[in-house]
Amino acid sequence: SGRAMGEERLVWRTRYSTEAAKAKTSGGASWHARFWVGNLEGGGTGNFTLLVQPHWAPVGARRFRRLVEEHFFDDARFFRVVPGFAAQFVIPGDPDRAAQWQFRTISDDVVRVSNKRGRVSFAASGPDTRTTQIFVNLGDNRPLDMEGAMGGFAPFAEVVEGMEVVDALYRGYGDGPPVGAGPSQQRILRSGNAYLNRDFPRLSFVATVGFDGGDAVGLAAREEDLSGVLGRLWLPLAVAGPLLLCALVAMARVFGEVRRRCAEEEPPRRARAPAPQTLGHQPLE
């Protein structure tokens, strides 16, 4: 029931908040997120816990934190589950919300750890195209560390509890087109959960997500927004900076030339007689 889930979340947050306070890393404090999942293989519910490691992939970890805080995962389907490969999810069930986030991309992280079983990375379609979709590695996927021109998929978290629940995600629909007959990502973006509920009703879904470290709520969004503003200003500044420097150099040259000409045209001043040298109050003769 909802009340039982709420009590479980409170106990869980109290436990993990203490642990996370001790888990400091060079990229910030690690923290936990617990996913409550429904419609597992064979029915039933369960949960799994991620340990987020910001020093692995700081940009991705920050985006994930923002999505968790904004309840972005609630009611999202695991629309692509390929045994031995990956479980992919997080296209919002509301098409309007999906459209709002479709082009809110983040820059790539350096791949610091491998895509081993249980680790979590953002999906992408090219360089600097990560938005909201993430996947849990269901096997050791080392080729994803250096996948083509994308430079690899950077893990930012790993499953530390409940991997058996991840393994129980419904996988009967297989991969999406053109490889398989599973859900189409483009149709999910256009029609959301209405399309999935009609054509793929057995998909597992996220009921809700809990997380520890509540004292920093909102920080990820503020930092990401500021980073986005600076990113948008970088190109104009990169173009305008050299032009402004050239203009300042030209103005300095003009000013120097004007001073030189004024000095040449100024009439010579009459020499003044030197004042007598003195010692005390008496002039020296």
Side-chain angles (χ1 to χ4, degrees):
S1 68
R3 180 176 180 180
M5 181 178 291
E7 292 175 351
E8 183 184 355
R9 288 180 64 178
L10 178 60
V11 172
W12 174 83
R13 286 188 63 179
T14 302
R15 169 190 171 188
Y16 277 113
S17 293
T18 302
E19 294 182 9
K22 302 176 183 178
K24 295 292 184 179
T25 68
S26 59
S30 60
W31 54 280
H32 298 84
R34 171 166 285 188
F35 287 74
W36 279 267
V37 182
N39 219 18
L40 295 172
E41 189 89 40
T45 61
N47 60 74
F48 62 92
T49 301
L50 301 184
L51 175 62
V52 181
Q53 304 278 21
H55 65 295
W56 285 0
V59 178
R62 183 176 63 193
R63 168 56 62 90
F64 177 73
R65 178 59 178 247
R66 179 174 190 171
L67 296 176
V68 169
E69 290 180 0
E70 297 185 10
H71 302 281
F72 197 84
F73 297 89
D74 293 5
D75 211 28
R77 269 46 176 178
F78 292 87
F79 60 85
R80 183 190 183 204
V81 181
V82 181
F85 178 55
Q88 187 171 339
F89 63 119
V90 204
I91 296 178
D94 179 359
D96 291 336
R97 196 174 193 191
Q100 293 171 1
W101 281 84
Q102 188 174 1
F103 300 105
R104 297 174 70 172
T105 58
I106 56 175
S107 60
D108 291 335
D109 282 297
V110 175
V111 180
R112 294 181 172 87
V113 297
S114 183
N115 281 275
K116 294 182 178 180
R117 171 175 162 82
R119 288 181 176 167
V120 185
S121 302
F122 272 88
S125 58
D128 300 326
T129 58
R130 299 182 298 173
T131 53
T132 65
Q133 294 188 43
I134 64 176
F135 62 90
V136 182
N137 286 284
L138 300 180
D140 290 342
N141 295 315
R142 294 183 185 278
L144 296 181
D145 301 345
M146 297 180 293
E147 181 73 16
M150 285 178 276
F153 298 85
F156 64 88
E158 61 184 336
V159 178
V160 292
E161 285 185 12
M163 192 64 196
E164 69 281 1
V165 174
V166 179
D167 288 333
L169 296 171
Y170 185 76
R171 60 193 62 196
Y173 298 123
D175 209 340
V179 178
S184 162
Q185 294 190 32
Q186 293 304 317
R187 293 193 63 182
I188 302 174
L189 288 169
R190 291 196 304 268
S191 303
N193 282 349
Y195 156 66
L196 295 176
N197 291 339
R198 183 184 66 246
D199 295 351
F200 304 95
R202 299 185 65 182
L203 289 175
S204 303
F205 65 91
V206 178
T208 190
V209 182
F211 63 98
D212 56 23
D215 293 341
V217 170
L219 180 60
R222 291 192 296 271
E223 289 181 346
E224 191 172 84
D225 290 342
L226 178 59
S227 176
V229 170
L230 295 177
R232 288 190 293 271
L233 289 177
W234 179 87
L235 182 58
L237 289 176
V239 173
L243 295 177
L244 180 59
L245 180 60
C246 291
L248 291 174
V249 170
M251 290 176 61
R253 289 178 177 175
V254 171
F255 182 69
E257 182 65 18
V258 170
R259 287 193 61 184
R260 185 184 65 78
R261 293 186 179 183
C262 288
E264 291 177 351
E265 296 174 0
E266 184 178 353
R269 297 180 179 179
R270 294 181 59 186
R272 297 176 58 184
Q277 298 179 349
T278 61
L279 182 61
H281 297 288
Q282 300 297 321
L284 297 176
E285 299 295 340

